[in-house]
Structures are given as C-alpha cells and as structure tokens.
Amino acid sequence: MTLTQEQATWFATTFGQLADNVERAVLGKRHIVELVLTAMLSDGHVLLEDVPGTGKTSLARAIAQSVQGTNTRIQFTPDLLPGDITGITVYDQKTGEFEFHSGPVFANIVLADEINRASPKTQSALLEVMEEGRVTIDGVTRPVGVPFLVLATQNPVEQAGTYRLPEAQLDRFMMRTSLGYPDHAATVRILDGGSTATAELTPVITPQALVGMADLAADTYVDALVLDYIARLVDATRSADEVRLGVSIRGALALTRASRARAASQARTYVTPDDVKALAVAVLSHRLILHPEAEFDGVTPEAVIGQVLLDVAPPTQREAV
C-alpha cells in the first residue's frame, strides 16, 4: 500500500504534536527532538554524544510520557553484567521451576547512559535486541514489545576508563547526534522555570497508535531515482580517499527508512532528495572508519559525508508513481 495524502496529513499533524509536547521539557532542541522521533518511527535507535547535563534523560522521559510508554534507565558501569540488562532466570525452590525476571531492556524507551563505560561483553547484550526487538536467555527468546527505542549516550570528552563501541554496535544505531547546550534564550527560559517537568506532560498518543504511525511511514513512496541516489551516496563513502570502511547496506536501509518517516512528517506521500540530504549526516557519519592519516589531519566523518553530498548529484526529476 502507498501512503495517501489524508494519512500523510494526519501523520504530520500528530508528529508535530509529539514534537511540541517533548519540546516543553527539552527547550530549544526542536531539530534533535524531530530526529529522535523520526528514528523511533523508523524502528531505529539513537546514539547521543554529549557532555553531562544537556537533557538526555529528560528527552527520553519526555518521549516515553508523550507516547504513554514505559521508560527505563540503565547506568552502564565497568561491573555491569549482561544479565543486569536483559534479565535472568532464577530457580524457585517452592515450585521447583526456573522463573524469568525481566531486565530493564523490557521497556518502550530504554536510556543506556554512558554506554561506553561497560565492557564489550556487556555492550553486546544489546546487539540482538536492537536489531530484532527480542532477547534470548537460556535458549528462550522473548520479545521486548513495540514501540522500542534505545537512546544511548556517551561523553565525547571523558574517555578515561571507557571502551570504544565496536563497529558492529555503532552500525545498529540508526542515528548519531548531539543535543548540545541550549541557546541563550532557551537557557534563560530554563533558569526561569520555563521547562515542564516530564511527569507533568500530557500523553499525545498511545503505543498502539504509534506503531500504526510507523506502519504508515513504511508505506511512504520512494522513487527509483531516489533509491539510486541513496545507493550512489553509499558507494561514494566507500571510495572516498579518507575512508577505510564505508557505509554498510544496513546504513543504506536505515537512511531509506528514516527518509520515509521524514517525508511523512512533512505531510508528503513521497520521499524527495532533500529528505535524504537532511538525514545523511546523522544516519551515515558514525558508520565511517577513517584512515589514521585522515584523522591526524583533522578530517571528521561529518565532513566526509558533507563532501559526498556535494559530489554526488541528486536526481532532478521524479518518475511517475
């Protein structure tokens, strides 16, 4: 099925109401709020690279409150074990059976705080659930439910005692972005008590309706020329001189899904090259591995994606639907 104009209009209206509601608690960060909501409606996850105190926890709670979903927070530390995330089975002496105790990953919005402070073994506990929405414990597979969004954070400045996220895990995050500090006007409003406590936010939509929104986003039409454009962008990252490892097929699929959701949030039934451009840096940059020489020269993945967007010409006309 293809998204109808009436459905696209409803999607855009509801998306705007969700963003407005979340922004009551996270002032001055409309663009980031929309990025995270786009990822959630595309079955994706988000990595936030930020210094402490920029509102990451408030963002996760505000989104959960807006969609009437459950919210958990996992503080990643060096002694955290995989079972502390997924849950464990415990033997009950009274019944003589093993009983499953679910972990904090069984929630709609999971905040994985300072994810790079846990060991790679513990980080790997998130690989299956982020990709497939389920966890396997003692041979039994359990779904975590929908909607499901992992918001992971890491401090880009403090690297002492941390473990670098492996490429396989970075690739499972649909987007990487940063809240950053609020601007002057937003800071003054925050100091004056202008932000709303997340507990006081009024829900906008139910989890079931949010799943319906995600289904509508998946029906947004993507022209063959736009798909070709995405493929050419991905190919260009692999052949760039500064890049040792380019964007994977998972990255190309993520950009396509996110572009569908963004188009629907703009009340359109089809994806345009501008949708792809608007999301390319957030979706693709963290998937690049640069040559050490390029890193030493100060080249960043964001700069490489920006240059690729300049070098690869977008399509100029749309085929008939």
Side-chain angles (χ1 to χ4, degrees), residues 11 19 32 38 66 83 102 108 123 136 146 151 169 171 183 204 214-215 220 222 234 248 260 272 311:
F11 187 104
I32 304 303
T38 299
S66 298
S102 60
N108 298 124
Q123 291 177 15
T136 302
V146 289
L151 266 177
Q169 183 148 11
D171 206 29
D183 59 25
V204 174
D215 292 339
T220 306
V222 186
V234 170
S248 66
R260 291 179 192 267
T272 68
D311 294 341

Side-chain angles (χ1 to χ4, degrees), residues 161-298:
T162 63
Y163 300 86
R164 183 175 178 177
L165 295 183
E167 285 70 32
Q169 183 148 11
L170 281 173
D171 206 29
R172 279 168 169 77
F173 286 102
M174 173 173 278
M175 299 181 189
R176 181 182 66 180
T177 186
S178 171
L179 274 172
Y181 293 118
D183 59 25
H184 178 76
T187 300
V188 172
R189 289 176 59 198
I190 292 170
L191 296 177
D192 193 38
S195 61
T196 303
T198 53
E200 299 174 5
L201 292 179
T202 303
V204 174
I205 195 172
T206 64
Q208 294 75 19
L210 190 76
V211 173
M213 284 186 69
D215 292 339
L216 289 178
D219 290 335
T220 306
Y221 176 75
V222 186
D223 195 87
L225 290 175
V226 177
L227 293 176
D228 176 74
Y229 179 52
I230 293 174
R232 286 187 288 118
L233 286 175
V234 170
D235 287 340
T237 66
R238 298 168 185 167
S239 58
D241 294 337
E242 305 90 346
V243 176
R244 182 160 59 94
L245 182 65
V247 175
S248 66
I249 276 294
R250 184 186 282 121
L253 289 170
L255 183 56
T256 305
R257 295 201 313 269
S259 297
R260 291 179 192 267
R262 186 182 188 277
S265 73
Q266 305 293 313
R268 277 185 279 104
T269 61
Y270 56 89
V271 175
T272 68
D274 287 338
D275 294 320
V276 178
K277 290 180 180 180
L279 296 168
V281 172
V283 176
L284 302 181
S285 62
H286 63 286
R287 305 173 193 272
L288 300 183
I289 299 179
L290 304 183
H291 288 295
E293 297 83 1
E295 292 182 336
F296 184 77
D297 290 338

Side-chain angles (χ1 to χ4, degrees), residues 28-87:
K29 296 298 176 184
R30 179 74 177 207
H31 176 62
I32 304 303
V33 169
E34 290 181 348
L35 277 181
V36 176
L37 290 176
T38 299
M40 182 170 63
L41 290 167
S42 311
D43 296 326
H45 310 284
V46 181
L47 177 63
L48 296 174
E49 285 195 340
D50 262 311
V51 295
T54 53
K56 300 181 290 293
T57 302
S58 296
L59 174 63
R61 289 176 177 171
I63 292 176
Q65 189 73 13
S66 298
V67 302
Q68 291 185 345
T70 55
N71 167 238
T72 57
R73 178 178 180 273
I74 309 171
Q75 183 63 53
F76 279 67
T77 56
D79 60 348
L80 191 72
L81 298 175
D84 297 330
I85 299 173
T86 59

Side-chain angles (χ1 to χ4, degrees), residues 221 223 318-321:
Y221 176 75
D223 195 87
R318 177 169 172 257
E319 293 179 353
V321 177

